[in-house]
């Protein structure tokens, strides 16, 4: 398990609880040592026992060597550099599992595409796990479901079995593009939701953002070859609703800072955890433009985040768009 942040730590617990021996890689040696000594991560989900089967190391080589499953949970924008260092240690035919919900700046690649390129592996060796999976709730063993997407459905089934626990229920899917886009774009819509929430806007506005946010996600997805049905599943609507509704969501919380009038820099200073939508909104906007797809909510989130546009001006811009058929 590469990455000992909130989701990496909670996912290490899932893997251990499902009966796997887990080596969790933490960037900082003191975090790895604390996990080995106390069975908990002192920085993320510090009250969660990770379980007897989880050990930790600050050596990625030690974590990767001989691993059948290599699970990745680092920030999306650092993945390529991280994998450049790690690729040589991969075992032949190991499965690489992406937990990340972002799009790479510059290349506009999905995380599975970055993995294929940076680790030099075939696309059917890469699986994606995505769904409404707030790490803090999973750590408490509250029931949750997710999707394991892989173009090789036998491999998806193997990953499914490896991460099934009494509190974590994975479904398989062969739509990697749809599952990844659902996860990345919902972070941007959650920023919009947080902005609206902090502005004191009500449930009609929030329902509009979720529904029209899903519409623009599906529009981009279909243009990229995704199955439209994926967006009504756990990796689409499920993740979008879970993230928007939850005060635990880092993206929604980041949006709330912006909605209260903080600048990007002030919101970043107030945020300890990765809010992927802040950077990914730029890449998603570029991806949409290059495919001729309209994503009005994403466009406005990008303007508020990166161009200093007042959220009230962004709301007015969205509401004054030309009327059209649903
Ligand atoms: N937290 C959650 O509930 C969920 C998160 N995710 C996704 O999982 C991915 C990881 O997020 P979290 O674990 O939540 O983030 P986090 O902010 O809790 O932790 C980030 C981790 O990455 C490490 N890191 C920072 N810079 C790094 C670098 N340059 N190289 C390597 N590692 C670096 C940090 O030390 C930390 O361990 C994100 O793409 C996120 O969207 C997906 C589902 C649920
Ligand atoms: O992806 C998530 C839940 O599935 C977590 O969302 P945040 O990154 O906004 O906390």
């Amino acid at each position: 398990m590469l990455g000992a942040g909130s989701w990496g730590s909670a996912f290490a617990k899932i893997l251990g609880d499902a009966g796997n021996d887990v080596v969790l890689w933490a960037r900082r040696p003191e975090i790895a040592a604390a996990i080995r000594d106390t069975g908990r991560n002192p920085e993320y989900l510090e009250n969660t026992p990770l379980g007897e089967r989880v050990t930790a190391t600050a050596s990625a080589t030690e974590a990767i060597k001989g691993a059948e499953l290599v699970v990745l949970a680092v920030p999306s924008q650092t993945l390529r550099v991280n994998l450049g260092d790690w690729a040589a240690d991969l075992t032949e035919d190991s499965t690489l599992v992406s937990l990340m919900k972002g799009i790479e700046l510059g290349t506009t690649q999905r995380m599975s595409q970055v993995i294929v390129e940076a680790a030099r592996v075939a696309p059917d060796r890469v699986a994606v796990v995505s769904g409404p999976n707030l790490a803090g709730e999973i750590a408490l063993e509250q029931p949750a479901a997710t999707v394991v997407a892989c173009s090789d459905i036998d491999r998806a089934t193997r990953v499914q079995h490896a991460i099934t626990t009494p509190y974590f229920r994975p479904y398989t899917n062969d739509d990697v593009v749809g599952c990844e886009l659902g996860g990345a774009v919902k972070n941007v819509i959650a920023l919009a939701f947080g902005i609206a929430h902090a502005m004191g806007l009500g449930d009609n506005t929030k329902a509009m953002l979720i529904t029209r946010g899903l519409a623009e996600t599906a529009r981009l997805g279909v243009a990229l070859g995704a199955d439209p049905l994926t967006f009504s599943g756990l990796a689409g609507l499920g993740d979008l609703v879970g993230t928007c509704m939850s005060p635990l969501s880092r993206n929604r919380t980041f949006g709330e800072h912006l909605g209260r009038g903080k600048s990007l820099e002030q919101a970043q200073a107030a945020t300890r955890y990765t809010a992927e939508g802040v950077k990914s909104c730029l890449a998603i906007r570029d991806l949409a433009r290059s495919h001729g797809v309209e994503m009005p909510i994403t466009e406005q989130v990008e303007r508020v985040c990166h161009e200093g546009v007042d959220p009230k001006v962004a709301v007015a811009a969205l509401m004054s768009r030309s009327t059209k058929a649903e």
Side-chain angles (χ1 to χ4, degrees):
M1 177 72 240
L2 298 166
S6 319
W7 193 208
S9 300
F11 208 83
K13 170 177 160 53
I14 292 174
L15 285 162
D17 289 349
N20 306 283
D21 293 323
V22 187
V23 185
L24 174 58
W25 171 79
R27 222 172 17 143
R28 285 168 284 171
E30 64 274 21
I31 301 281
I35 295 172
R36 280 197 307 274
D37 292 348
T38 68
R40 291 164 204 245
N41 183 333
E43 288 269 319
Y44 300 89
L45 309 170
E46 62 273 19
N47 297 320
T48 305
L50 300 180
E52 306 252 301
R53 284 180 176 269
V54 178
T55 184
T57 175
S59 157
T61 300
E62 199 180 312
I64 296 169
K65 275 270 159 75
E68 269 174 75
L69 278 187
V70 176
V71 186
L72 297 150
V74 293
S76 296
Q77 306 305 332
T78 76
L79 174 67
R80 185 179 294 274
V81 172
N82 295 142
L83 270 175
D85 297 337
W86 299 337
D89 293 322
L90 292 168
T91 305
E92 206 181 319
D93 202 44
S94 54
T95 301
L96 289 90
V97 181
S98 166
L99 305 187
M100 293 151 296
K101 295 179 176 171
I103 301 290
E104 191 177 51
L105 286 169
T107 65
T108 69
Q109 285 185 350
R110 292 173 284 105
M111 292 300 103
S112 66
Q113 295 175 300
V114 174
I115 293 170
V116 166
E117 242 179 52
R120 295 178 296 280
V121 298
D124 66 1
R125 275 179 62 188
V126 183
V128 167
V129 172
S130 194
N133 301 147
L134 292 146
E137 294 184 6
I138 306 256
L140 297 173
E141 302 191 5
Q142 293 181 1
T146 201
V147 180
V148 181
C150 184
S151 57
D152 173 353
I153 209 69
D154 291 337
R155 201 179 285 269
T157 306
R158 289 203 295 278
V159 175
Q160 177 186 42
H161 290 154
I163 63 171
T164 298
T165 74
Y167 59 88
F168 199 62
R169 179 171 172 75
Y171 292 79
T172 57
N173 193 324
D174 62 4
D175 182 12
V176 176
V177 177
C179 288
E180 281 189 300
L181 274 183
V185 183
K186 69 88 192 174
N187 284 333
V188 179
I189 307 302
L191 287 168
F193 191 102
I195 292 170
H197 182 71
M199 289 170 77
L201 300 174
D203 293 333
N204 292 335
T205 309
K206 290 173 179 171
M208 171 175 70
L209 285 172
I210 288 178
T211 315
R212 296 309 303 166
L214 190 62
E216 69 181 58
T217 310
R219 212 156 44 225
L220 177 62
V222 169
L224 296 175
D227 177 349
L229 266 182
T230 300
F231 299 103
S232 42
L234 288 162
L237 181 64
D239 199 3
L240 179 61
V241 170
T243 305
C244 287
M245 285 190 336
S246 177
L248 290 179
S249 160
R250 288 90 45 94
N251 286 282
R252 171 181 145 163
T253 305
F254 198 101
E256 288 175 33
H257 290 310
L258 297 172
R260 276 191 222 103
K262 282 199 165 95
S263 66
L264 179 68
E265 292 69 27
Q266 288 167 334
Q268 277 165 336
T271 307
R272 209 180 121 215
Y273 304 111
T274 313
E276 293 278 20
V278 176
K279 286 184 181 154
S280 287
C281 67
L282 289 157
I284 293 167
R285 180 208 56 189
D286 291 349
L287 193 57
R289 284 186 183 168
S290 67
H291 284 79
V293 173
E294 271 195 315
M295 297 191 75
I297 302 174
T298 301
E299 292 265 353
Q300 293 306 327
V301 168
E302 184 280 319
R303 291 179 70 215
V304 172
C305 281
H306 299 285
E307 296 172 33
V309 167
D310 185 325
K312 288 198 194 75
V313 174
V315 172
L318 278 174
M319 293 307 287
S320 62
R321 282 164 44 79
S322 64
T323 49
K324 43 184 64 86
E326 188 179 28

